[in-house]
Amino acid sequence: MTHKSGFVNIVGKPNVGKSTLMNELMGEKLSIVTSKAQTTRHRIFGIWSDEDTQIVFSDTPGIIMKPIYELHSKMNDFVKEAFQDADIIIYITEFGEEKYLSEYLIKKLNAVKIPVLVLINKIDKSQETHSITKGVDYWHSLLPKAEILPISALYKLNTELILPKIKELLPEAPAYYDKELFTTLSERFFVNETIREKILLNYQKEIPYSVEVVTESFKDEENIIRIESIIYVERNTQKGIIIGHKGEKIKKVGTQARIDLENFFNKKIYLNLFVKVKKDWRSNEKDLKKFGYSK
């Protein structure tokens, strides 16, 4: 029996459903999901395996066409890496995105020598089959070598067709990782991302985008995991907003994160959160390296 393996990297603009799709294909919540753009900042790796296949998925940050902070440039670097090390590219778009397409990106997708699968997401928002067909035809005209599939990652419409299509396109190769693994990322990474997701959900305007989370201590004891994490902000005023009146806001974030982490690790969690100021970290090369945005 032949074995197929490969790296399947998911790219697209912010907020088109990349993380929702990744979680659906994996059957695990690996990528945090919110309605806010730029929720994903790093490459999130998920490993899907069966007897004769191993798929290494990579969820990437949304492509930022006009970076403002150095952080945005680093996030775009993760997307560039995804083009370089992929065996298959999944490009996720949605109806209406045609108005905002980048000519550079279309040229890049046409130039790659590997299979490209274009997923037109959020078809649940379209009531007309005709408009869906028109969208498929449009993408065929832009990327004639690509496979085009309309889906809804949120409502699981046509998503059952994706894995068989990927298996068909994968090269023959041995497994890259142990078949029992489902990610290459550390436990602390998932703690950081879970806390950051709750901040995205509970705060508005610039606050969620000014935040970075670092887990300083992760002690896995027999009956409990004890975690201490720092929430970094850029200004003192932001620190006060994160904490809230009498600590109510940060307590809410901690409670929500602890519940999710207990489900993720299947173990009781003690979570202690601190808030510190790291001025203008989004534009500081040294800070970005410390936070894992550059090597």
Side-chain angles (χ1 to χ4, degrees), residues 41-42 78 212 287-295:
R41 286 180 175 171
H42 295 266
F78 289 137
E212 184 61 45
D287 290 336
L288 291 168
K289 186 172 183 179
K290 177 185 174 182
F291 293 150
Y293 292 103
S294 58
K295 297 174 183 177

Side-chain angles (χ1 to χ4, degrees), residues 65-256:
M65 304 311 297
K66 296 180 180 179
I68 299 172
Y69 300 96
E70 183 62 22
L71 170 65
H72 295 158
S73 298
K74 299 298 184 186
M75 289 161 62
N76 278 345
D77 286 344
F78 289 137
V79 181
K80 292 175 186 175
E81 287 178 6
F83 273 95
Q84 293 166 1
D85 60 23
D87 292 295
I88 298 171
I89 289 285
I90 292 181
Y91 180 77
I92 301 191
T93 180
E94 61 179 326
F95 289 106
E97 189 185 320
E98 296 86 4
K99 304 173 190 174
Y100 311 103
L101 280 176
S102 159
E103 186 177 335
Y104 166 79
L105 184 60
I106 296 302
K107 285 182 178 178
K108 194 169 185 65
L109 288 167
N110 271 315
V112 296
K113 306 298 184 184
I114 57 174
V116 174
L117 178 58
V118 175
L119 302 180
I120 307 174
N121 194 23
K122 304 183 184 181
I123 60 171
D124 51 283
K125 293 185 176 180
S126 175
Q127 302 299 318
E128 299 178 5
T129 304
H130 171 71
S131 64
I132 296 174
T133 303
K134 188 176 178 181
V136 171
D137 291 342
Y138 177 78
W139 278 97
H140 268 305
S141 70
L142 289 176
L143 301 170
K145 294 185 291 185
E147 303 261 1
I148 318 292
L149 180 64
I151 68 162
S152 171
L154 182 62
Y155 293 99
K156 304 179 183 180
L157 298 174
N158 288 345
T159 53
E160 77 283 356
L161 304 175
I162 300 171
L163 280 175
K165 176 54 67 177
I166 291 171
K167 287 185 177 185
E168 179 186 318
L169 297 172
L170 278 176
E172 290 186 14
Y176 292 99
Y177 298 97
D178 188 305
K179 290 286 185 97
E180 298 301 313
L181 280 179
F182 70 94
T183 187
T184 59
L185 297 167
S186 70
E187 295 160 323
R188 293 186 186 216
F189 179 85
F190 287 105
V191 173
N192 298 342
E193 287 291 272
T194 300
I195 296 166
R196 197 168 64 81
E197 179 186 56
K198 303 314 171 192
I199 292 169
L200 281 158
L201 292 171
N202 283 285
Y203 299 87
Q204 301 301 318
K205 298 181 180 177
E206 184 66 10
I207 294 297
Y209 303 105
S210 305
V211 163
E212 184 61 45
V213 182
V214 175
T215 295
E216 294 283 304
S217 176
F218 185 100
K219 296 179 180 177
D220 192 352
E221 301 174 3
E222 185 177 354
N223 297 315
I224 193 171
I225 301 174
R226 300 185 185 276
I227 300 169
E228 291 188 352
S229 301
I230 299 173
I231 299 169
Y232 286 103
V233 294
E234 292 189 308
R235 297 189 296 276
N236 279 313
T237 52
Q238 295 169 344
K239 179 177 179 179
I241 294 170
I242 289 287
I243 293 170
H245 181 63
K246 294 183 179 180
E248 290 178 357
K249 293 284 283 185
I250 195 170
K251 183 179 179 182
K252 183 179 179 182
V253 166
T255 299
Q256 291 176 349

